[in-house]
């Protein structure tokens, strides 16, 4: 027996134009071709069967079983004889919507200025659909939204009971709107919030028993004639959009019946909107992919999201993803086809996962079917925030400024010249008795900024510095550096003691002339004497001549020596610092702070964990910190001040809050949308999601796992300004930065960031003993990732790279591991043996995301 989908496939292969339409109770399949003009009507179906090479009896049986009418007609006959049957663009039943070919022909519904509709649907019951809907309504109300909830569950309405409301008037019900009443009178469910938001309810039916027969008749009629529902929804839409300004609704939330019900599709089609699909990862509704794709196709502008309900009280988002990643990925594929642009590559994991939201069993619901919002768990409050974001409802209608967040958290120096994270622990770094001596962070997190702050504030002297640092210190891998290393026969342990001895003699390493003179005096002694003077005991005696304690800071370790020597060099440094830290003969005269890339300390010295325990600060930019930073950089950017003077002036009023890093998410998003469009149109991607995912190094920001890099954002703003001056395209479109410039600026900034990473990879990857040859191989190695797919199997990638690089396979695998340690790659959760490029590194390496 052939199925309907198989028949449609054969028809589309044989004829140029096939149209599906539903007019209760039949599915009409129009097979439109000019050749039917010369075929008698009674012989046309036989002609179709012959062309398809399918027995006519089989086709006729399928039509009887599924209430199908096949109409082989000419184009003129379709328009003149069957005009009463709606076109493909008007879908009122699951049947045509479940067909991929028909979905592809649906008109693209652009965002209107009217009232937004959000539809809540679940294939099975018990998936927290109504609970999530009510929590979303409460959250929106607190942000000043006027919300209308419509209980459209014709088989088991429950919203009034959940909300503790009684419904006596037929005019307050969906049943009334669909014909039983001329009036529409929603019930006030939640009074005005402080921000002016409300929640109103249109119940499905009145409570009174006297309406039981009428409601049963209404449900029966709606199942046989869906125009009842469509006319009612159109009536409600007209009512909602005609309300006076200040009294109208901003969003309507529809609560739908589960399964292949007869009411959901006509309602969604009549008032198109985003669909929130509630689901449980119990296997009972996972395989309904065509159903979910159908729902998400209705409103591709903002298709919706999955909300996954877990009853496990111990569950976390990470644990759920690890256990069910294959199912999650399969379901996210159902929404991805509506998100990606026609000419763009599939959306990467870090973007697509924002459309998967975990909702957890919450004890607050044991006390009430609709508990106060502030009684929900932190995870579920976060889920509502994430849901609002993907539905593009995250802003506020009426806003009051508030300084949220940790009052002890700050961004110091929000003036472009000196910006870095200044948490309580970092503030303590500047105290003489600070216990923190080791500052670790990935490249681009601000280590050198902080290093410079110590020196610029007169609190410390540079012992070792990066090559481009202008204010003293021995420069990493410089001529002076190599002179000192050669004076001690290349012994790294002796090098550090020699460096300290030279610093003592120089008096102040911030004075380059003093420092160079001290180096010359050291070198002139000759090799044997230099080695003798570089003994710890000799340096200890020299320290006793100091009148006051000296404070040194160390940076630039990552680029000091070749990759093959890096481990030994770092080990010697930690052994040197251990002596300064634990021996009173040194700690009485010398203090230090080390700024080091995070991966270099791991495994560098046995028991290094004990050495750095309780003495470490990990530099890390989370979401709130980086967006406060971004606004601070915009405030001092000449191009933004020129093009967005009013917006910059408005943001500048919040400068104290920006400096303290206390702008909340809703506040900095509001300000960012003053400069940037709310959506990257080419990718159908929210601008805020673009910033969160394309600029972070992992896919884990939802659970606090991603980090951001000030240097990348700085470069992005620089490239935006540059493009505005040299690009032929308009820099400003509809009062906002051109989204095409944003995409190009990000691409250029990512490439620049990757070039900086490559500079460090020269000292990380060991592909050849010869330093010059190693650099050449590293450049080739990095370039080979262009066009490669991510995620990837680590061993397969190594073998593929070896095919284009004359390097031992073991060294290539080690190189991949080293890149993973510094954050370029990460393991793909739930897929053993698979890696993926971190979000920003994918763009920097020009890899292609493949689902």
């Amino acid at each position: 027996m052939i199925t309907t989908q198989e028949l449609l496939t054969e028809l589309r292969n044989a004829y140029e134009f096939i149209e599906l339409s539903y007019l209760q109770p039949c599915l009409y399949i129009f097979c439109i071709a000019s050749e039917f003009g010369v075929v008698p009507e009674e012989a046309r179906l036989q002609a179709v069967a012959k062309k398809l090479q399918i027995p006519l009896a089989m086709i006729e049986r399928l039509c009887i079983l599924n209430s199908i009418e096949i109409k082989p007609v000419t184009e003129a006959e379709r328009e003149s004889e069957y005009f009463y049957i709606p076109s493909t663009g008007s879908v009122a039943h699951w049947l045509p919507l479940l067909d991929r070919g028909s979905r592809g022909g649906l008109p693209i519904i652009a965002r209107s200025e009217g009232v937004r509709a959000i539809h809540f649907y679940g294939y099975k019951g018990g998936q927290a659909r109504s609970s999530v809907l009510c929590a979303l309504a409460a959250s929106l109300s607190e942000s000043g939204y006027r919300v209308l909830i419509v209980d459209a569950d014709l088989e088991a309405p429950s919203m009034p009971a959940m909300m503790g409301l009684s419904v006596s008037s037929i005019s307050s019900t969906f049943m009334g709107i669909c014909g039983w009443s001329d009036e529409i009178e929603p019930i006030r469910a939640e009074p005005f919030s402080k921000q002016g938001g409300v929640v109103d309810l249109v119940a499905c039916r009145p409570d009174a028993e006297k309406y039981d027969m009428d409601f049963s008749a209404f449900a029966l009629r709606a199942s046989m004639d869906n125009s009842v529902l469509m006319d009612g929804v159109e009536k409600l839409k007209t009512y909602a959009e005609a309300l006076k300004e200040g009294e109208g609704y901003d969003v309507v939330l529809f609560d739908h019946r589960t399964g292949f019900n007869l009411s959901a599709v006509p309602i969604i089609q009549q008032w198109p909107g985003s669909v929130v699909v509630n689901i449980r990862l119990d296997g009972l509704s996972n395989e309904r992919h065509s159903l979910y794709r159908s729902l998400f196709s209705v409103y591709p502008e903002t298709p919706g999201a999955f909300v996954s309900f877990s009853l496990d009280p111990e569950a976390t988002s990470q644990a759920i993803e690890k256990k069910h990643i294959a199912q999650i990925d399969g379901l996210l594929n159902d929404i991805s086809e509506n998100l990606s642009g026609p000419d763009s590559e599939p959306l990467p994991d870090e973007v697509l996962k924002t459309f998967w939201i975990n909702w957890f069993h919450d004890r607050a619901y044991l006390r009430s079917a609709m508990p106060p919002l502030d009684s929900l768990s932190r995870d579920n409050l976060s889920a509502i925030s994430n849901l609002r974001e993907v539905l593009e409802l995250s802003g506020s209608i009426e806003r009051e400024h508030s300084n949220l967040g940790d009052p002890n958290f700050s961004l110091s120096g929000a003036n472009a010249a000196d910006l870095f994270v200044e948490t309580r622990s970092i503030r303590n770094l500047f105290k003489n008795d600070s216990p923190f001596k080791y500052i670790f962070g990935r490249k681009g997190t601000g280590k050198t900024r902080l290093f410079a702050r110590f020196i610029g504030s007169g609190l410390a002297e540079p012992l070792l510095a990066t090559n481009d640092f202008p204010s003293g210190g021995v420069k990493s891998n410089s001529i002076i550096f190599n002179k000192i290393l050669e004076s001690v026969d290349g012994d790294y342990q002796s090098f550090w003691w020699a460096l300290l001895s030279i610093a003592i003699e120089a008096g102040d390493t911030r004075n380059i002339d003093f420092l160079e003179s001290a180096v010359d005096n050291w070198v002139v002694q000759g090799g044997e004497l230099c080695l003798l003077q570089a003994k710890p005991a000799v340096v200890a005696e020299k320290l006793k001549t100091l009148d006051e304690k000296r404070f040194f800071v160390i940076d630039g370790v990552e680029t000091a020596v070749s990759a093959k020597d890096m481990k030994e060099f770092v080990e010697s440094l930690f052994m040197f610092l251990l002596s300064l830290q634990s021996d009173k003969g040194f700690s009485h005269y010398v203090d230090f702070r080390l700024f080091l890339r995070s991966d270099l300390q791991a495994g560098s010295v046995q028991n290094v964990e004990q050495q750095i325990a309780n003495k470490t600060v990990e530099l890390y930019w989370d979401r709130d910190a980086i967006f406060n930073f971004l606004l601070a950089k915009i405030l001092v950017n000449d191009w933004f001040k020129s093009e967005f003077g009013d917006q910059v002036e408005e943001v500048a009023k919040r400068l104290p809050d920006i400096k303290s890093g206390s702008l909340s998410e809703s506040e900095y998003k509001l300000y960012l949308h003053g400069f940037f469009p709310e959506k990257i149109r080419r990718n159908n991607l929210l601008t805020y999601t673009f910033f969160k995912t394309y600029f972070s190094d992992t896919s884990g920001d939802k659970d606090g796992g991603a980090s951001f890099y000030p240097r990348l954002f700085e470069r992005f703003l620089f490239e935006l300004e540059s493009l505005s001056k040299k690009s032929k395209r308009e820099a400003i479109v509809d009062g906002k930065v051109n989204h095409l410039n944003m995409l190009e600026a990000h691409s250029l900034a990512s490439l620049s960031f990757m070039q900086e990473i490559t500079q460090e990879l020269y000292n990380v990857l060991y592909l050849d003993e010869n330093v010059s040859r190693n650099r050449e191989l590293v450049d080739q190695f990095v370039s080979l990732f262009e066009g490669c797919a991510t995620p990837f199997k680590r061993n397969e990638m190594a073998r593929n790279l070896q095919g284009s690089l004359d390097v031992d396979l073991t060294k290539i695998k080690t190189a991949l591991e080293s890149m993973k340690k510094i954050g370029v790659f990460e393991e793909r959760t739930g897929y053993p043996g698979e890696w993926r490029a971190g979000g920003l590194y994918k763009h920097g390496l020009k890899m292609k995301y493949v689902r």
Side-chain angles (χ1 to χ4, degrees), residues 572-701:
S572 69
L573 170 60
F574 274 100
M575 292 175 67
F576 166 69
L577 295 180
L578 179 61
S579 297
L580 299 188
Q581 173 182 319
S582 58
D583 189 325
K584 290 184 178 180
F586 297 110
S587 61
H588 179 73
Y589 298 99
V590 178
D591 201 356
F592 70 90
R593 299 290 182 269
L594 170 65
F595 298 83
L596 188 69
R597 201 177 64 223
S598 302
D599 63 291
L600 289 180
Q601 59 89 12
S604 57
V605 182
Q606 190 174 5
N607 298 325
V608 69
E609 292 82 6
Q610 296 179 17
Q611 179 177 338
I612 66 176
N614 302 317
K615 298 177 178 64
T616 301
V617 170
E618 186 76 31
L619 290 183
Y620 170 79
W621 288 79
D622 64 10
R623 193 191 305 178
D624 289 338
I626 203 65
F627 284 115
N628 276 273
F629 173 89
L630 178 57
L631 284 174
K633 295 298 294 183
I634 288 173
L635 285 178
V636 296
N637 183 282
D638 290 336
W639 181 73
F640 276 89
K641 286 192 288 186
S642 172
E643 298 292 338
F644 299 94
D646 292 341
Q647 293 95 319
V648 168
E649 186 176 338
E650 188 66 25
V651 176
K653 296 176 183 178
R654 306 298 307 280
L655 186 57
D657 296 322
I658 293 172
K659 285 184 175 181
S660 66
S662 58
L663 287 187
S664 66
E665 182 180 35
S666 61
E667 291 174 318
Y668 56 67
K669 283 172 66 176
L670 171 66
Y671 289 130
L672 287 173
H673 287 153
F675 305 106
F676 304 103
E678 292 197 16
K679 209 160 197 180
I680 307 290
R681 292 293 168 186
R682 193 174 77 179
N683 292 5
N684 194 23
L685 180 68
L686 288 173
T687 292
Y688 183 55
T689 302
F690 167 71
F691 280 135
K692 280 196 316 173
T693 56
Y694 281 52
F695 286 75
S696 80
D697 62 357
T698 81
S699 61
D701 183 56

Side-chain angles (χ1 to χ4, degrees), residues 535-594:
K535 298 292 184 183
V538 177
V539 178
E541 289 300 316
K542 198 170 186 177
L543 284 171
K544 292 178 181 179
T545 64
L546 295 177
D547 295 327
E548 58 182 2
K549 191 171 186 176
R550 301 278 292 275
F551 194 125
F552 296 105
V553 284
I554 301 168
D555 192 19
V557 175
E558 296 87 348
T559 56
V561 298
S562 64
K564 68 183 180 67
D565 294 331
M566 184 59 69
K567 186 174 188 296
E568 182 183 351
F569 184 67
V570 175
E571 285 180 348
S572 69
L573 170 60
F574 274 100
M575 292 175 67
F576 166 69
L577 295 180
L578 179 61
S579 297
L580 299 188
Q581 173 182 319
S582 58
D583 189 325
K584 290 184 178 180
F586 297 110
S587 61
H588 179 73
Y589 298 99
V590 178
D591 201 356
F592 70 90
R593 299 290 182 269
L594 170 65

Side-chain angles (χ1 to χ4, degrees), residues 421-485:
V421 176
E422 189 180 300
T423 58
R424 283 171 291 181
S425 57
I426 287 182
R427 187 180 295 116
N428 288 335
L429 277 173
F430 294 95
K431 297 180 179 179
N432 291 332
D433 59 350
S434 171
F436 302 111
K437 301 184 183 297
Y438 303 92
I439 299 90
F440 300 134
R442 290 182 175 179
K443 184 171 181 63
T445 52
K447 299 188 301 299
T448 298
R449 289 177 186 271
L450 193 53
F451 170 86
R453 178 59 179 253
F454 271 97
I455 298 160
S457 301
L459 299 174
E461 305 170 50
L463 193 62
L464 183 70
T466 58
N467 266 313
D468 56 354
F469 183 69
S471 303
V474 172
K475 304 300 188 291
S476 176
N477 201 15
S478 63
I479 294 174
I480 292 179
F481 176 94
N482 290 320
K483 277 185 180 180
I484 300 171
L485 187 57

Side-chain angles (χ1 to χ4, degrees), residues 343-362:
D343 301 321
S344 60
E345 64 176 279
L347 290 176
D349 278 346
E350 59 266 24
V351 174
L352 204 50
K353 284 179 182 175
T354 62
F355 294 88
W356 183 271
I357 295 162
N358 290 303
W359 180 267
F360 300 94
H361 170 72
D362 201 315

Side-chain angles (χ1 to χ4, degrees), residues 800-817:
N800 291 338
L801 294 172
Q802 189 193 25
S804 303
L805 201 66
D806 185 20
V807 175
D808 181 72
L809 183 61
T810 302
K811 286 186 177 180
I812 291 179
K813 289 182 177 180
T814 301
L816 288 172
E817 290 287 350

Side-chain angles (χ1 to χ4, degrees), residues 109 116-117 119 237 267-274 298-299:
I109 299 170
R116 282 280 305 276
H119 300 273
K237 186 178 181 183
I267 292 174
I268 293 172
Q269 284 292 328
Q270 194 66 25
W271 199 337
S274 311
V298 172
Y299 197 70

Side-chain angles (χ1 to χ4, degrees), residues 116-121 129 133 152 233 252-256 264 267-278 295 298-299 303-305 391:
R116 282 280 305 276
I118 310 294
H119 300 273
F120 281 74
Y121 172 84
R129 185 189 71 243
L133 184 154
V233 171
V252 177
L253 308 180
F254 285 91
D255 190 34
H256 290 283
I267 292 174
I268 293 172
Q269 284 292 328
Q270 194 66 25
W271 199 337
S274 311
V275 179
V276 177
V277 174
N278 291 79
L295 295 173
V298 172
Y299 197 70
L391 294 176

